[in-house]
Amino acid sequence: MQDRLTAQLGEMVLTGDAVLPYCRDWIGDVQSSALAVLRPRTTAQVQDCVRVAAALGLGIVPQGGNTGLVLGAMPDAPDRQVVVSLERMTAIRNLAPNDFAIEVEAGAILQDIKDAAAQVGLYFPLSLGAQGSCRIGGNVSTNAGGINVLRYGMTRELVLGLEVVLPNGSLFAGLSSLRKDNRGIDLKQLFIGAEGTLGIVTAVTLKLVPAPTAIATALVALDDLEGAIALYRHARRDCCDLLSAFEFMPPLAFTLAREAMPDLPLPMDPGHPAYALIEMSGSGLVDVDDLMARFLERALEGRLARDGVVAQSRAQAANLWAIREGMNLGQVQRGRHLRTDISVPLSQLATFVSEAEAAVADVLPGAVCVSYGHVGDGNVHLNVLPGPGADADIQIARAKTAIDAALDRHAGSISAEHGIGRLKRAAFEARLPPAQARLLQAIRQAVDPEGIMNPGCQITPRPATSGSVQGA
Ligand SMILES: Cc1cc2nc3c(=O)[nH]c(=O)nc-3n(C[C@H](O)[C@H](O)[C@H](O)COP(=O)(O)OP(=O)(O)OC[C@H]3O[C@@H](n4cnc5c(N)ncnc54)[C@H](O)[C@@H]3O)c2cc1C
């Protein structure tokens, strides 16, 4: 089979040990394998890859930066699947400042897109910890969120147009910088968040906004999560759309960040019960430094905050963000642990977290909960570091059951921003109402009747049927 792939696709094909780095997840928990990794350089080559793989009856697993946290880009049938990596399709095709838009190939790294926009005084707002490695096709396919969602929305709100290779090799040519286009159903939305189950995104037109000319960043000490939510509500009212990030962190964030980055300076007493990292940004004549100073003054006077430091330079701001990012790395270094990506209505967030943490403490007295996240979006990562003794996997399963039960009581989502992938498929399907399940299956069968696109991702594959809606 590998010989036939190489005969038809030539130097695009990697086999043997060369596939292994593409088959290891970002955390390092899972090492899988694949028949081959295909690395096209152009959209036409992606079409060739899809046609050849389909003719050989192989499943196709699209891959961007492989930073997804739910095993969506991880093959699970090594002898029947190929990875199609977009890593060689990184071109910025058209930077169009007059349209406040940029057209890029799907393999472009998110940070490179942000840098390209910055060169013309514009800003691409999608911002997340993996932005130096994740690729825009992956961001689109997971509808990524990140720290700026409360101001600019999820990736879906930043996509103007898409080019997608469909499962029969034909092209959905939907690149466009039109802001308004109400010609019937907006089909590109189907592919956003589809996690590679309906086709391979090869290029994207993205919205750009004026680059903030001033950014104020502050770290604030608080009594608890409830206090963070109260402060967030004030910030929304007092600072309106100038509020661009509001992240909640427990005191353990400092310990975890220091474990990952031993030289990281601590800007504040790490002994408070809770912290929020707040960012306000503006362009033009707006004075965000003054706004932040007055907001914090009022918060301290009103006892909404215990203490606060405002970054005085870009380096200090970067240091504050390094605590937030460093705590992720610190958790990885502690070994196997439960990671969640949960959302509940903001009004229920504090109650949910305390109920879920208590439920975990009941079943696993030695485990440590680390709850943090994008509070403004009602999004919390309630992670659990297993305690000593019992097997980590058993503890992770117990903690997950306890958290899911609390989440279901609050009608929350098991995936606020990371998607379903393979990791959350069973939990997703167990909660899927029948009408939505039928609709999802129908869409998938209509677009991909042979079931070749990312089989096993999001929903359990059904037997193939005949009849495709794709063009030639
Ligand atoms: C440190 C860290 C911080 C993170 N923070 C956030 C965060 O704040 N918010 C957030 O939302 N996520 C976050 N993530 C998760 C991850 O970065 C995002 O899901 C990201 O969008 C994945 O992009 P990728 O290029 O790495 O995609 P991959 O991991 O390669 O793929 C993800 C999914 O998309 C599919 N896919 C990839 N490329 C294509 C394509 N061209 N066409 C079709 N399907 C494709 C894959 O098959 C897979 O199902 C974080 C991850 C890490 C490691």
Side-chain angles (χ1 to χ4, degrees), residues 26 61-69 72-73 86 106 127-130 133-139 141-147 195-196 199-202 325 328 374 417-418 454 457:
W26 185 83
V61 181
Q63 190 176 93
N66 199 13
T67 67
L69 299 171
L86 279 291
S127 300
L128 43 122
S133 316
C134 62
R135 297 175 189 271
I136 195 67
N139 301 143
S141 302
T142 57
N143 186 27
I147 56 171
E195 297 181 82
I200 302 181
V201 177
T202 48
E325 302 312 336
N328 282 333
H374 316 303
E417 49 175 26
H418 294 163
N454 218 354
C457 181

Side-chain angles (χ1 to χ4, degrees), residues 340 342 399-409 414 427 431:
T340 70
I342 282 166
K400 188 173 173 314
T401 305
I403 293 170
D404 281 354
L407 184 66
D408 290 341
R409 283 198 297 278
I414 57 162
R431 291 167 175 77

Side-chain angles (χ1 to χ4, degrees), residues 214-221 231 239 266-269 275-281 287-300 305-321 323:
I215 300 175
T217 311
L219 182 68
V220 178
L231 189 65
C239 312
L266 296 188
M268 179 184 275
D269 173 6
Y275 298 85
L277 187 52
I278 306 175
E279 187 186 86
M280 295 173 196
S281 55
D287 185 347
V288 288
D289 292 328
D290 180 58
L291 181 66
M292 179 68 93
R294 283 189 294 137
F295 172 71
L296 285 186
E297 199 179 295
R298 206 188 272 191
L300 289 164
R306 293 171 158 220
D307 196 4
V309 289
V310 181
Q312 299 301 318
S313 64
R314 281 182 168 215
Q316 283 185 7
N319 176 43
L320 294 184
W321 279 108
I323 299 167

Side-chain angles (χ1 to χ4, degrees), residues 150 226-238 243 245-246 278 295 346 375-378:
L150 58 90
E226 203 146 358
I229 295 167
L231 189 65
Y232 167 74
R233 290 203 180 100
H234 279 268
R236 270 317 278 272
R237 291 204 174 91
D238 290 351
L243 183 67
F246 196 107
I278 306 175
F295 172 71
L346 187 58
V375 156
D377 310 317

